[in-house]
Amino acid sequence: MSNVPSNLKYSREHEWVKVEGNRVTIGITDFAQSELGDIVFVELPEAGAELTANATFGTVESVKTVSDLYAPVSGTIVEVNTALVDSPEKVNEAPYEDGWMVVLELKDASELDSLLDADAYSEHIQ
């Protein structure tokens, strides 16, 4: 079974969200990276970009496929994990730690209410 940390929120598109005050860190779940296989390239927007909930904000390319990343919530990117440019495998190795993708300044905290908790996400991926 996939690792689903209980302190995070999840989207149905397999992104995780770590909430810290008015900022959220976003990445893809352990389930998503295991389905994708070996990740060879990650394309992310620049800091300062505006994201809209459910809109595409980047791509993850594996040896098998290219997958879009979907913003679980709206906001402005304040930080991008540039380490993934040279080391995209971090997403496979530590999706909830070194493999994070972007940090957003939340636009509307109520959007967090539409995300899944760990139990609901675990059910979603079974």
Side-chain angles (χ1 to χ4, degrees):
M1 178 165 152
S2 286
N3 172 19
V4 181
S6 61
N7 63 323
L8 303 175
K9 292 187 172 284
Y10 300 89
S11 73
R12 294 186 182 282
E13 289 73 38
H14 311 292
E15 281 82 24
W16 57 262
V17 177
K18 181 179 180 185
V19 181
E20 295 171 291
N22 200 34
R23 290 192 171 184
V24 295
T25 304
I26 299 169
I28 64 169
T29 65
D30 185 46
F31 174 82
Q33 70 79 21
S34 66
E35 292 289 298
L36 287 168
D38 291 337
I39 293 171
V40 294
F41 184 72
V42 178
E43 183 182 15
L44 297 170
E46 302 278 317
E50 295 284 333
L51 300 191
T52 304
N54 304 314
T56 309
F57 74 91
T59 56
V60 175
E61 189 174 329
S62 70
V63 288
K64 295 195 284 193
T65 186
V66 176
S67 288
D68 286 333
L69 297 167
Y70 295 94
V73 291
S74 303
T76 304
I77 296 179
V78 291
E79 196 176 343
V80 176
N81 189 353
T82 54
L84 298 182
V85 173
D86 294 325
S87 305
E89 69 279 358
K90 287 178 186 290
V91 177
N92 291 119
E93 294 163 0
Y96 302 114
E97 290 87 28
D98 295 341
W100 65 276
M101 308 221 161
V102 295
V103 177
L104 285 188
E105 188 83 38
L106 271 177
K107 189 172 188 176
D108 180 359
S110 71
E111 289 179 344
L112 295 168
D113 299 339
S114 65
L115 299 175
L116 306 173
D117 64 14
D119 291 339
Y121 182 72
S122 293
E123 281 177 35
H124 176 62
I125 61 176
Q126 301 230 331

